[in-house]
mmCIF file of all heavy atoms in Angstrom:
data_model
loop_
_atom_site.group_PDB
_atom_site.id
_atom_site.type_symbol
_atom_site.label_atom_id
_atom_site.label_comp_id
_atom_site.label_asym_id
_atom_site.label_seq_id
_atom_site.Cartn_x
_atom_site.Cartn_y
_atom_site.Cartn_z
ATOM 1 N N SER W 1 6.138 -1.557 -1.187
ATOM 2 C CA SER W 1 5.008 -1.129 -2.190
ATOM 3 C C SER W 1 3.777 -1.118 -1.603
ATOM 4 O O SER W 1 2.992 -0.146 -1.788
ATOM 5 C CB SER W 1 5.125 -1.961 -3.503
ATOM 6 O OG SER W 1 5.010 -3.386 -3.259
ATOM 7 N N PRO W 2 3.322 -1.998 -0.673
ATOM 8 C CA PRO W 2 1.998 -1.849 -0.056
ATOM 9 C C PRO W 2 1.996 -0.674 0.873
ATOM 10 O O PRO W 2 0.971 0.027 1.008
ATOM 11 C CB PRO W 2 1.663 -3.135 0.668
ATOM 12 C CG PRO W 2 2.996 -3.986 0.697
ATOM 13 C CD PRO W 2 3.832 -3.379 -0.349
ATOM 14 N N SER W 3 3.110 -0.329 1.526
ATOM 15 C CA SER W 3 3.250 0.791 2.370
ATOM 16 C C SER W 3 2.974 2.077 1.410
ATOM 17 O O SER W 3 2.269 3.051 1.848
ATOM 18 C CB SER W 3 4.549 0.907 3.045
ATOM 19 O OG SER W 3 4.574 -0.187 3.929
ATOM 20 N N ALA W 4 3.690 2.146 0.306
ATOM 21 C CA ALA W 4 3.478 3.359 -0.587
ATOM 22 C C ALA W 4 2.067 3.436 -1.068
ATOM 23 O O ALA W 4 1.548 4.508 -1.079
ATOM 24 C CB ALA W 4 4.390 3.133 -1.722
ATOM 25 N N GLU W 5 1.432 2.304 -1.298
ATOM 26 C CA GLU W 5 0.054 2.297 -1.753
ATOM 27 C C GLU W 5 -0.864 2.856 -0.628
ATOM 28 O O GLU W 5 -1.763 3.627 -0.840
ATOM 29 C CB GLU W 5 -0.510 0.876 -2.129
ATOM 30 C CG GLU W 5 -1.906 0.823 -2.566
ATOM 31 C CD GLU W 5 -2.257 -0.643 -2.871
ATOM 32 O OE1 GLU W 5 -1.396 -1.601 -2.865
ATOM 33 O OE2 GLU W 5 -3.414 -0.823 -3.126
ATOM 34 N N GLY W 6 -0.665 2.442 0.634
ATOM 35 C CA GLY W 6 -1.424 2.911 1.778
ATOM 36 C C GLY W 6 -1.272 4.347 2.029
ATOM 37 O O GLY W 6 -2.244 5.064 2.254
ATOM 38 N N VAL W 7 -0.035 4.925 1.986
ATOM 39 C CA VAL W 7 0.279 6.261 2.297
ATOM 40 C C VAL W 7 -0.399 7.076 1.068
ATOM 41 O O VAL W 7 -1.055 8.083 1.361
ATOM 42 C CB VAL W 7 1.784 6.564 2.196
ATOM 43 C CG1 VAL W 7 2.090 8.061 2.128
ATOM 44 C CG2 VAL W 7 2.528 5.874 3.468
ATOM 45 N N PHE W 8 -0.234 6.716 -0.139
ATOM 46 C CA PHE W 8 -0.786 7.412 -1.313
ATOM 47 C C PHE W 8 -2.279 7.401 -1.254
ATOM 48 O O PHE W 8 -2.904 8.381 -1.537
ATOM 49 C CB PHE W 8 -0.177 6.863 -2.603
ATOM 50 C CG PHE W 8 -0.458 7.826 -3.789
ATOM 51 C CD1 PHE W 8 0.146 9.096 -3.725
ATOM 52 C CD2 PHE W 8 -1.073 7.467 -4.896
ATOM 53 C CE1 PHE W 8 -0.034 9.934 -4.799
ATOM 54 C CE2 PHE W 8 -1.338 8.300 -5.971
ATOM 55 C CZ PHE W 8 -0.788 9.601 -5.885
ATOM 56 N N ARG W 9 -2.841 6.287 -0.982
ATOM 57 C CA ARG W 9 -4.367 6.205 -0.855
ATOM 58 C C ARG W 9 -4.902 7.163 0.215
ATOM 59 O O ARG W 9 -5.911 7.820 -0.097
ATOM 60 C CB ARG W 9 -4.846 4.830 -0.489
ATOM 61 C CG ARG W 9 -6.321 4.601 -0.397
ATOM 62 C CD ARG W 9 -6.792 3.240 -0.128
ATOM 63 N NE ARG W 9 -6.962 2.427 -1.374
ATOM 64 C CZ ARG W 9 -6.172 1.749 -2.091
ATOM 65 N NH1 ARG W 9 -5.179 1.569 -1.791
ATOM 66 N NH2 ARG W 9 -6.310 1.119 -3.171
ATOM 67 N N HIS W 10 -4.188 7.211 1.298
ATOM 68 C CA HIS W 10 -4.568 8.174 2.367
ATOM 69 C C HIS W 10 -4.516 9.579 1.781
ATOM 70 O O HIS W 10 -5.397 10.419 2.017
ATOM 71 C CB HIS W 10 -3.708 8.092 3.604
ATOM 72 C CG HIS W 10 -3.933 8.972 4.681
ATOM 73 N ND1 HIS W 10 -4.914 8.693 5.691
ATOM 74 C CD2 HIS W 10 -3.380 10.091 5.013
ATOM 75 C CE1 HIS W 10 -4.917 9.627 6.564
ATOM 76 N NE2 HIS W 10 -4.060 10.596 6.163
ATOM 77 N N LEU W 11 -3.438 10.035 1.149
ATOM 78 C CA LEU W 11 -3.342 11.306 0.521
ATOM 79 C C LEU W 11 -4.356 11.674 -0.454
ATOM 80 O O LEU W 11 -4.790 12.787 -0.529
ATOM 81 C CB LEU W 11 -1.899 11.488 -0.001
ATOM 82 C CG LEU W 11 -0.707 11.452 0.933
ATOM 83 C CD1 LEU W 11 0.491 11.567 0.230
ATOM 84 C CD2 LEU W 11 -0.797 12.643 1.987
ATOM 85 N N LEU W 12 -4.610 10.613 -1.300
ATOM 86 C CA LEU W 12 -5.723 10.834 -2.364
ATOM 87 C C LEU W 12 -6.943 11.093 -1.724
ATOM 88 O O LEU W 12 -7.742 12.022 -2.178
ATOM 89 C CB LEU W 12 -5.768 9.589 -3.242
ATOM 90 C CG LEU W 12 -4.570 9.369 -4.255
ATOM 91 C CD1 LEU W 12 -4.756 8.056 -5.014
ATOM 92 C CD2 LEU W 12 -4.530 10.418 -5.235
ATOM 93 N N ASN W 13 -7.296 10.411 -0.755
ATOM 94 C CA ASN W 13 -8.692 10.526 -0.055
ATOM 95 C C ASN W 13 -8.696 11.943 0.607
ATOM 96 O O ASN W 13 -9.680 12.662 0.528
ATOM 97 C CB ASN W 13 -8.808 9.516 1.056
ATOM 98 C CG ASN W 13 -9.231 8.127 0.510
ATOM 99 O OD1 ASN W 13 -9.789 8.086 -0.547
ATOM 100 N ND2 ASN W 13 -8.882 7.084 1.279
ATOM 101 N N GLU W 14 -7.521 12.368 1.284
ATOM 102 C CA GLU W 14 -7.526 13.756 1.861
ATOM 103 C C GLU W 14 -7.708 14.855 0.789
ATOM 104 O O GLU W 14 -8.305 15.879 1.017
ATOM 105 C CB GLU W 14 -6.270 13.946 2.523
ATOM 106 C CG GLU W 14 -6.093 13.289 3.866
ATOM 107 C CD GLU W 14 -4.858 13.653 4.657
ATOM 108 O OE1 GLU W 14 -3.927 14.162 3.944
ATOM 109 O OE2 GLU W 14 -4.844 13.508 5.879
ATOM 110 N N ALA W 15 -7.112 14.550 -0.435
ATOM 111 C CA ALA W 15 -7.195 15.530 -1.532
ATOM 112 C C ALA W 15 -8.497 15.477 -2.362
ATOM 113 O O ALA W 15 -8.559 16.318 -3.251
ATOM 114 C CB ALA W 15 -6.010 15.375 -2.404
ATOM 115 N N GLY W 16 -9.257 14.502 -2.090
ATOM 116 C CA GLY W 16 -10.506 14.334 -2.884
ATOM 117 C C GLY W 16 -10.201 13.862 -4.231
ATOM 118 O O GLY W 16 -11.058 14.143 -5.143
ATOM 119 N N LEU W 17 -9.190 13.094 -4.475
ATOM 120 C CA LEU W 17 -8.767 12.626 -5.769
ATOM 121 C C LEU W 17 -8.918 11.124 -5.951
ATOM 122 O O LEU W 17 -8.545 10.543 -6.947
ATOM 123 C CB LEU W 17 -7.339 13.027 -6.070
ATOM 124 C CG LEU W 17 -7.072 14.512 -6.282
ATOM 125 C CD1 LEU W 17 -5.584 14.836 -6.291
ATOM 126 C CD2 LEU W 17 -7.771 15.048 -7.451
ATOM 127 N N ALA W 18 -9.485 10.474 -4.981
ATOM 128 C CA ALA W 18 -9.480 8.966 -5.008
ATOM 129 C C ALA W 18 -10.331 8.435 -6.108
ATOM 130 O O ALA W 18 -10.103 7.343 -6.626
ATOM 131 C CB ALA W 18 -10.092 8.505 -3.677
ATOM 132 N N ASP W 19 -11.273 9.345 -6.752
ATOM 133 C CA ASP W 19 -12.135 8.817 -7.784
ATOM 134 C C ASP W 19 -11.488 9.045 -9.073
ATOM 135 O O ASP W 19 -12.027 8.517 -10.222
ATOM 136 C CB ASP W 19 -13.469 9.413 -7.751
ATOM 137 C CG ASP W 19 -13.506 10.907 -7.723
ATOM 138 O OD1 ASP W 19 -12.403 11.505 -7.316
ATOM 139 O OD2 ASP W 19 -14.383 11.573 -8.104
ATOM 140 N N VAL W 20 -10.358 9.788 -9.208
ATOM 141 C CA VAL W 20 -9.721 10.095 -10.515
ATOM 142 C C VAL W 20 -8.337 9.507 -10.558
ATOM 143 O O VAL W 20 -7.635 9.634 -11.616
ATOM 144 C CB VAL W 20 -9.714 11.544 -10.819
ATOM 145 C CG1 VAL W 20 -11.058 12.136 -11.001
ATOM 146 C CG2 VAL W 20 -8.890 12.328 -9.709
ATOM 147 N N VAL W 21 -7.801 8.791 -9.511
ATOM 148 C CA VAL W 21 -6.583 8.150 -9.520
ATOM 149 C C VAL W 21 -6.702 6.767 -9.113
ATOM 150 O O VAL W 21 -7.092 6.431 -7.967
ATOM 151 C CB VAL W 21 -5.505 9.002 -8.592
ATOM 152 C CG1 VAL W 21 -4.159 8.256 -8.628
ATOM 153 C CG2 VAL W 21 -5.459 10.359 -9.056
ATOM 154 N N GLY W 22 -6.173 5.763 -9.979
ATOM 155 C CA GLY W 22 -6.210 4.464 -9.616
ATOM 156 C C GLY W 22 -4.827 3.989 -9.035
ATOM 157 O O GLY W 22 -3.780 4.469 -9.588
ATOM 158 N N ILE W 23 -4.726 3.163 -8.080
ATOM 159 C CA ILE W 23 -3.545 2.696 -7.500
ATOM 160 C C ILE W 23 -3.478 1.283 -7.155
ATOM 161 O O ILE W 23 -4.547 0.728 -6.905
ATOM 162 C CB ILE W 23 -3.044 3.598 -6.244
ATOM 163 C CG1 ILE W 23 -4.090 3.381 -5.138
ATOM 164 C CG2 ILE W 23 -2.940 5.085 -6.622
ATOM 165 C CD1 ILE W 23 -3.569 4.113 -3.791
ATOM 166 N N ASP W 24 -2.300 0.713 -7.125
ATOM 167 C CA ASP W 24 -2.137 -0.671 -6.771
ATOM 168 C C ASP W 24 -0.636 -0.807 -6.569
ATOM 169 O O ASP W 24 0.175 0.108 -6.646
ATOM 170 C CB ASP W 24 -2.518 -1.597 -7.931
ATOM 171 C CG ASP W 24 -2.729 -3.108 -7.394
ATOM 172 O OD1 ASP W 24 -2.619 -3.325 -6.181
ATOM 173 O OD2 ASP W 24 -3.087 -3.936 -8.238
ATOM 174 N N SER W 25 -0.249 -2.004 -6.092
ATOM 175 C CA SER W 25 1.155 -2.266 -5.864
ATOM 176 C C SER W 25 1.470 -3.784 -6.326
ATOM 177 O O SER W 25 0.529 -4.539 -6.483
ATOM 178 C CB SER W 25 1.490 -2.146 -4.352
ATOM 179 O OG SER W 25 0.793 -3.062 -3.581
ATOM 180 N N ALA W 26 2.704 -4.040 -6.572
ATOM 181 C CA ALA W 26 3.055 -5.317 -7.135
ATOM 182 C C ALA W 26 4.588 -5.598 -6.768
ATOM 183 O O ALA W 26 5.323 -4.646 -6.334
ATOM 184 C CB ALA W 26 2.959 -5.412 -8.517
ATOM 185 N N GLY W 27 5.012 -6.785 -6.901
ATOM 186 C CA GLY W 27 6.389 -7.166 -6.757
ATOM 187 C C GLY W 27 7.001 -7.605 -8.041
ATOM 188 O O GLY W 27 6.254 -8.051 -8.884
ATOM 189 N N THR W 28 8.317 -7.470 -8.178
ATOM 190 C CA THR W 28 8.965 -7.945 -9.315
ATOM 191 C C THR W 28 9.275 -9.418 -9.249
ATOM 192 O O THR W 28 9.476 -10.092 -10.244
ATOM 193 C CB THR W 28 10.381 -7.227 -9.496
ATOM 194 O OG1 THR W 28 11.142 -7.334 -8.312
ATOM 195 C CG2 THR W 28 10.222 -5.739 -9.895
ATOM 196 N N HIS W 29 9.255 -9.955 -7.999
ATOM 197 C CA HIS W 29 9.528 -11.434 -7.820
ATOM 198 C C HIS W 29 8.233 -12.038 -7.227
ATOM 199 O O HIS W 29 7.397 -11.416 -6.700
ATOM 200 C CB HIS W 29 10.584 -11.632 -6.953
ATOM 201 C CG HIS W 29 11.929 -11.116 -7.538
ATOM 202 N ND1 HIS W 29 12.212 -9.790 -7.602
ATOM 203 C CD2 HIS W 29 13.005 -11.911 -7.882
ATOM 204 C CE1 HIS W 29 13.444 -9.772 -8.253
ATOM 205 N NE2 HIS W 29 13.902 -10.915 -8.417
ATOM 206 N N ASN W 30 8.177 -13.404 -7.317
ATOM 207 C CA ASN W 30 6.999 -14.087 -6.837
ATOM 208 C C ASN W 30 7.140 -14.736 -5.421
ATOM 209 O O ASN W 30 6.449 -15.611 -5.115
ATOM 210 C CB ASN W 30 6.668 -15.207 -7.829
ATOM 211 C CG ASN W 30 7.628 -16.254 -8.054
ATOM 212 O OD1 ASN W 30 8.658 -16.199 -7.280
ATOM 213 N ND2 ASN W 30 7.327 -17.252 -8.900
ATOM 214 N N PHE W 31 8.081 -14.173 -4.673
ATOM 215 C CA PHE W 31 8.420 -14.789 -3.336
ATOM 216 C C PHE W 31 7.144 -14.788 -2.431
ATOM 217 O O PHE W 31 7.098 -15.754 -1.600
ATOM 218 C CB PHE W 31 9.526 -14.012 -2.694
ATOM 219 C CG PHE W 31 10.774 -13.820 -3.363
ATOM 220 C CD1 PHE W 31 11.363 -12.523 -3.357
ATOM 221 C CD2 PHE W 31 11.270 -14.876 -4.206
ATOM 222 C CE1 PHE W 31 12.653 -12.395 -4.034
ATOM 223 C CE2 PHE W 31 12.502 -14.666 -4.869
ATOM 224 C CZ PHE W 31 13.197 -13.449 -4.736
ATOM 225 N N HIS W 32 6.303 -13.836 -2.415
ATOM 226 C CA HIS W 32 5.341 -13.771 -1.477
ATOM 227 C C HIS W 32 3.885 -13.737 -2.078
ATOM 228 O O HIS W 32 2.992 -13.268 -1.451
ATOM 229 C CB HIS W 32 5.443 -12.532 -0.653
ATOM 230 C CG HIS W 32 6.772 -12.545 0.159
ATOM 231 N ND1 HIS W 32 6.975 -13.435 1.289
ATOM 232 C CD2 HIS W 32 7.969 -12.014 -0.125
ATOM 233 C CE1 HIS W 32 8.266 -13.186 1.582
ATOM 234 N NE2 HIS W 32 8.950 -12.393 0.944
ATOM 235 N N VAL W 33 3.678 -14.190 -3.319
ATOM 236 C CA VAL W 33 2.428 -14.037 -3.945
ATOM 237 C C VAL W 33 1.232 -14.530 -3.025
ATOM 238 O O VAL W 33 1.492 -15.762 -2.559
ATOM 239 C CB VAL W 33 2.451 -14.691 -5.391
ATOM 240 C CG1 VAL W 33 1.053 -14.849 -5.916
ATOM 241 C CG2 VAL W 33 3.316 -13.833 -6.321
ATOM 242 N N GLY W 34 0.255 -13.876 -2.949
ATOM 243 C CA GLY W 34 -0.935 -14.289 -2.167
ATOM 244 C C GLY W 34 -0.914 -13.983 -0.598
ATOM 245 O O GLY W 34 -1.780 -14.065 0.052
ATOM 246 N N GLU W 35 0.271 -13.587 -0.264
ATOM 247 C CA GLU W 35 0.548 -13.310 1.307
ATOM 248 C C GLU W 35 0.044 -11.830 1.529
ATOM 249 O O GLU W 35 0.083 -10.884 0.689
ATOM 250 C CB GLU W 35 2.002 -13.356 1.660
ATOM 251 C CG GLU W 35 2.561 -14.798 1.671
ATOM 252 C CD GLU W 35 4.043 -14.853 1.980
ATOM 253 O OE1 GLU W 35 4.514 -13.941 2.735
ATOM 254 O OE2 GLU W 35 4.606 -15.866 1.516
ATOM 255 N N ALA W 36 -0.321 -11.596 2.809
ATOM 256 C CA ALA W 36 -0.698 -10.249 3.317
ATOM 257 C C ALA W 36 0.607 -9.418 3.411
ATOM 258 O O ALA W 36 1.638 -10.068 3.503
ATOM 259 C CB ALA W 36 -1.372 -10.380 4.639
ATOM 260 N N PRO W 37 0.506 -8.172 3.595
ATOM 261 C CA PRO W 37 1.708 -7.362 3.816
ATOM 262 C C PRO W 37 2.472 -7.889 5.240
ATOM 263 O O PRO W 37 1.780 -8.398 6.108
ATOM 264 C CB PRO W 37 1.273 -5.998 3.949
ATOM 265 C CG PRO W 37 -0.054 -5.986 3.255
ATOM 266 C CD PRO W 37 -0.615 -7.299 3.342
ATOM 267 N N ASP W 38 3.699 -7.688 5.326
ATOM 268 C CA ASP W 38 4.491 -7.914 6.426
ATOM 269 C C ASP W 38 3.877 -7.322 7.708
ATOM 270 O O ASP W 38 3.511 -6.108 7.648
ATOM 271 C CB ASP W 38 5.972 -7.459 6.276
ATOM 272 C CG ASP W 38 6.883 -7.835 7.366
ATOM 273 O OD1 ASP W 38 6.745 -7.399 8.484
ATOM 274 O OD2 ASP W 38 7.806 -8.675 7.054
ATOM 275 N N ALA W 39 3.709 -8.081 8.768
ATOM 276 C CA ALA W 39 3.134 -7.560 10.021
ATOM 277 C C ALA W 39 3.816 -6.276 10.465
ATOM 278 O O ALA W 39 3.187 -5.432 11.161
ATOM 279 C CB ALA W 39 3.100 -8.640 11.117
ATOM 280 N N ARG W 40 5.118 -6.303 10.421
ATOM 281 C CA ARG W 40 5.828 -5.121 10.824
ATOM 282 C C ARG W 40 5.502 -3.924 10.100
ATOM 283 O O ARG W 40 5.386 -2.743 10.577
ATOM 284 C CB ARG W 40 7.381 -5.416 10.762
ATOM 285 C CG ARG W 40 7.824 -6.509 11.766
ATOM 286 C CD ARG W 40 9.204 -7.012 11.441
ATOM 287 N NE ARG W 40 9.213 -7.485 10.035
ATOM 288 C CZ ARG W 40 10.355 -7.775 9.445
ATOM 289 N NH1 ARG W 40 11.606 -7.615 10.080
ATOM 290 N NH2 ARG W 40 10.326 -8.303 8.257
ATOM 291 N N ALA W 41 5.269 -4.059 8.750
ATOM 292 C CA ALA W 41 4.900 -2.934 7.912
ATOM 293 C C ALA W 41 3.508 -2.506 8.249
ATOM 294 O O ALA W 41 3.160 -1.213 8.291
ATOM 295 C CB ALA W 41 5.016 -3.276 6.397
ATOM 296 N N ILE W 42 2.558 -3.396 8.443
ATOM 297 C CA ILE W 42 1.309 -3.079 8.974
ATOM 298 C C ILE W 42 1.231 -2.280 10.150
ATOM 299 O O ILE W 42 0.608 -1.239 10.281
ATOM 300 C CB ILE W 42 0.372 -4.330 8.993
ATOM 301 C CG1 ILE W 42 0.190 -5.051 7.699
ATOM 302 C CG2 ILE W 42 -1.043 -4.051 9.672
ATOM 303 C CD1 ILE W 42 -0.438 -6.411 7.760
ATOM 304 N N ALA W 43 2.020 -2.748 11.098
ATOM 305 C CA ALA W 43 2.039 -2.064 12.494
ATOM 306 C C ALA W 43 2.717 -0.676 12.290
ATOM 307 O O ALA W 43 2.035 0.327 12.952
ATOM 308 C CB ALA W 43 2.942 -2.847 13.471
ATOM 309 N N ALA W 44 3.718 -0.510 11.576
ATOM 310 C CA ALA W 44 4.395 0.795 11.404
ATOM 311 C C ALA W 44 3.337 1.777 10.789
ATOM 312 O O ALA W 44 3.185 2.900 11.125
ATOM 313 C CB ALA W 44 5.694 0.663 10.666
ATOM 314 N N ALA W 45 2.666 1.259 9.600
ATOM 315 C CA ALA W 45 1.716 2.135 8.917
ATOM 316 C C ALA W 45 0.629 2.529 9.818
ATOM 317 O O ALA W 45 0.078 3.682 9.848
ATOM 318 C CB ALA W 45 1.275 1.345 7.644
ATOM 319 N N ARG W 46 0.119 1.579 10.600
ATOM 320 C CA ARG W 46 -1.103 1.731 11.480
ATOM 321 C C ARG W 46 -0.757 2.877 12.381
ATOM 322 O O ARG W 46 -1.652 3.730 12.772
ATOM 323 C CB ARG W 46 -1.466 0.479 12.149
ATOM 324 C CG ARG W 46 -2.963 0.433 12.487
ATOM 325 C CD ARG W 46 -3.470 -0.881 12.870
ATOM 326 N NE ARG W 46 -3.970 -1.583 11.748
ATOM 327 C CZ ARG W 46 -4.085 -2.909 11.545
ATOM 328 N NH1 ARG W 46 -3.568 -3.645 12.548
ATOM 329 N NH2 ARG W 46 -4.628 -3.351 10.488
ATOM 330 N N LYS W 47 0.445 2.892 13.025
ATOM 331 C CA LYS W 47 0.811 3.958 13.989
ATOM 332 C C LYS W 47 0.758 5.341 13.404
ATOM 333 O O LYS W 47 0.587 6.275 14.118
ATOM 334 C CB LYS W 47 2.344 3.740 14.398
ATOM 335 C CG LYS W 47 2.498 2.687 15.413
ATOM 336 C CD LYS W 47 3.988 2.667 15.937
ATOM 337 C CE LYS W 47 4.230 1.448 16.766
ATOM 338 N NZ LYS W 47 5.661 1.303 17.040
#
């Protein structure tokens, strides 16, 4: 979900729609509440 949020945020910025579309991500479970995204997800997204 944070990967989807990052990809979509990038697309919204490119399309000039960032000011008319609000986005966020969440989990159905509380396993990782308060934690940053997985380092592997961050690295793959950054690439």
Side-chain angles (χ1 to χ4, degrees):
S1 56
S3 295
E5 181 183 352
V7 170
F8 197 58
R9 180 174 271 93
H10 181 85
L11 292 176
L12 289 173
N13 287 332
E14 283 185 341
L17 294 172
D19 57 339
V20 296
V21 180
I23 60 173
D24 198 2
S25 61
T28 54
H29 293 72
N30 65 359
F31 304 141
H32 300 284
V33 169
E35 294 179 23
D38 187 290
R40 297 167 297 171
I42 293 171
R46 207 168 267 154
K47 279 184 188 174

